[in-house]
Amino acid sequence: MKKQLLIFIQYLSVEKGLAQNTLESYERDLTQYIAFIEKSGITAFNDTKKSNIQSYLLQLKKLGRASSTVTRNMVSIRSFYQFMVRERLLDLDPSLNMETPRLDKRLPKVLSIQEVEALLEAPETTTPHGMRDKAMLELLYATGMRVSELISLNAGHVNLGMGFVRCIGKGSKERIIPLGRIAAKWLHEYIQRMRPKLLKELKADDALFINHLGTRLTRQGFWKIIKKHGREAKILKEITPHTLRHSFATHLLDNGADLRAVQEMLGHADISTTQIYTHVSKTRMKEVYNRTHPRAKI
């Protein structure tokens, strides 16, 4: 069964051109699903039934997986079976007519402007790593880009003179994002003074942000960095790699930014994805009203 999985992943890579992170997500979901049905004694996909898929999704729920995780697994399994039937590697699709689990709509957690400022001030900019961290955090908050996009940046993707960064997003789609004056200043400092020190002997490496090995920073590396500076800034809220992205969008809308412009900067294919931030803004507005209006608590 792993052979068919390999064929499917290759199809997603070559024919669909999906990003590496997406490919890894599909492979991880389906590897876990295959392990589950193999424990049931199934050795071929033609032997799987709808009940096998339902049992697997039920197990994910029992393990406390988020509804978004269960839904993503369902999408991965359904896409795989559809591909197998289309390629005549499978007779029947057992996922046919199965309902996708309903997602719980959770509002993204955002930082206040004061918390963002504390986070951005946390790195010690007299060291190469501290200057790198400062430049990364300023860039994330200035552009709202995804962490995967941030660590994929090359030095040539940043145009400090024109004040923009060229970003390669999901589905290898390119977008140009404006770069604020403060972020540009710290990027200039990092690129000119500290990046050469981090590169060490690897002078030909194009990566913009470098780790202690002198090579491109990883997602796991960035996760540790933002957690560390969150603690230093004494921020009690949970901070994830997407926290500054969520805060970027919410603060723009709070200050009157056009929803379409925010959609473009975030790289959302569908504006409905961006609209969740309008709900966050309304929630924050209500909190402010209840806290400050003289008659709100009467």
Side-chain angles (χ1 to χ4, degrees), residues 51-68:
S51 58
N52 297 122
I53 304 173
Q54 291 170 331
S55 297
Y56 176 65
L57 298 178
L58 183 60
Q59 177 183 267
L60 291 179
K61 289 181 181 179
K62 287 180 178 178
L63 291 172
R65 301 291 187 265
S67 59
S68 57

Side-chain angles (χ1 to χ4, degrees), residues 79-114:
S79 299
F80 175 67
Y81 277 123
Q82 287 173 347
F83 167 79
M84 293 280 283
V85 170
R86 193 165 59 247
E87 295 297 310
R88 298 182 180 179
L89 299 171
L90 190 67
D91 297 330
L92 296 171
D93 178 3
S95 70
L96 200 63
N97 300 323
M98 282 189 67
E99 289 187 10
T100 303
R102 182 173 291 181
L103 273 173
D104 296 329
K105 286 192 176 180
R106 292 184 297 177
L107 296 180
K109 294 179 181 178
V110 300
L111 301 178
S112 66
I113 293 175
Q114 293 75 20

Side-chain angles (χ1 to χ4, degrees), residues 286-298:
K286 188 173 181 181
E287 288 173 356
V288 171
Y289 178 87
N290 288 337
R291 189 173 66 248
T292 58
H293 195 283
R295 301 182 72 81
K297 298 177 184 178
I298 294 176

Side-chain angles (χ1 to χ4, degrees), residues 1-9 27 30-31 34-35 38 43 45 80:
M1 288 195 285
K2 291 179 181 177
K3 182 181 178 182
Q4 286 97 325
L5 172 58
L6 184 61
I7 294 171
F8 177 61
I9 298 301
E27 188 169 7
L30 291 168
T31 298
I34 290 170
E38 282 181 336
T43 57
F45 286 113
F80 175 67

